[in-house]
Amino acid sequence: MSVQERKQRERAERERLIVATARELAEQQGWDAVTTRRLAERIEYSQPVLYSHFRGKREIIGAVAMEGAAEMAVAVRAATSSANSPRERVAALARAYLDFAARNPAVYDALFQLDGGLAFADEDTPEPLKDAFAALLESLGEVAGDGVQPGLFTELFWASLHGLATLTRAGRLPPEDTERRVELLVDRLAMV
């Protein structure tokens, strides 16, 4: 291995460490606790080293969001892969999405609540974000209905899931009724 390859590998490892540490700190204490000073202390590198990877917290949030989008796509596809009918796929998708949001609140915030400097619904949208949407579209497109654009239907269903995730987490909706909400959403909105 050349010196340059080793340096590139070490740089990539440092970047992964920064992102993992930011994510861990955010999950434990919230995003307000994530500062470049705190990250530098935790990973035992100087702040200039951090800034050589990310220009600031916004880019770190974006990196966490990209990781989260990839993980969410995997979770949704895994949940829907064993379903035997369109209805089962849509219900599995809804459960997987809501479960991901509940288990990863800081990542979910990085994806959908905070400014990570990422473009959504744009030609410049990064591939992991596009793929996360594609994971939803794969199951929802087939139940959109006649004359309904699958992408538009997927956006509407996603917005409903986001609302459920956000309101439940904020204590505005009782969590014990989540399964009934999923059933209603699948039956009424997806009509499968």
Side-chain angles (χ1 to χ4, degrees), residues 125-161:
T125 300
E127 201 53 46
L129 300 179
K130 288 180 183 178
D131 189 52
F133 185 78
L136 300 176
L137 182 62
E138 289 162 11
S139 293
L140 294 169
E142 69 180 320
V143 299
D146 294 335
V148 177
Q149 182 186 6
L152 200 58
F153 178 77
T154 300
E155 289 171 352
L156 179 63
F157 200 90
W158 170 31
S160 299
L161 291 174

Side-chain angles (χ1 to χ4, degrees), residues 36-130:
T36 55
R37 173 177 282 169
R38 249 187 167 161
L39 287 174
E41 288 171 4
R42 285 219 175 176
I43 65 171
E44 298 177 343
Y45 284 101
S46 67
Q47 281 184 285
V49 169
L50 237 77
Y51 285 116
S52 75
H53 291 274
F54 300 99
R55 284 182 282 196
K57 183 175 175 177
R58 182 178 185 221
E59 283 189 5
I60 294 169
I61 290 169
V64 170
M66 298 277 275
E67 243 183 37
E71 291 170 11
M72 187 173 69
V74 167
V76 166
R77 286 186 175 113
T80 59
S81 67
S82 61
N84 295 317
S85 69
R87 186 187 192 296
E88 285 181 23
R89 268 187 295 287
V90 173
L93 177 150
R95 287 184 197 103
Y97 183 96
L98 294 172
D99 182 58
F100 180 87
R103 283 185 299 105
N104 304 284
V107 173
Y108 192 82
D109 285 350
L111 268 165
F112 302 120
Q113 306 285 64
L114 301 173
D115 179 11
L118 303 174
F120 282 81
D122 190 70
E123 59 196 38
D124 294 333
T125 300
E127 201 53 46
L129 300 179
K130 288 180 183 178

Side-chain angles (χ1 to χ4, degrees), residues 7-23:
K7 285 183 179 187
Q8 286 174 337
R9 187 187 76 234
E10 289 171 353
R11 180 172 176 75
E13 287 172 10
R14 267 194 317 272
E15 194 164 300
R16 279 191 295 276
L17 178 61
I18 293 166
V19 172
T21 304
R23 183 174 173 166

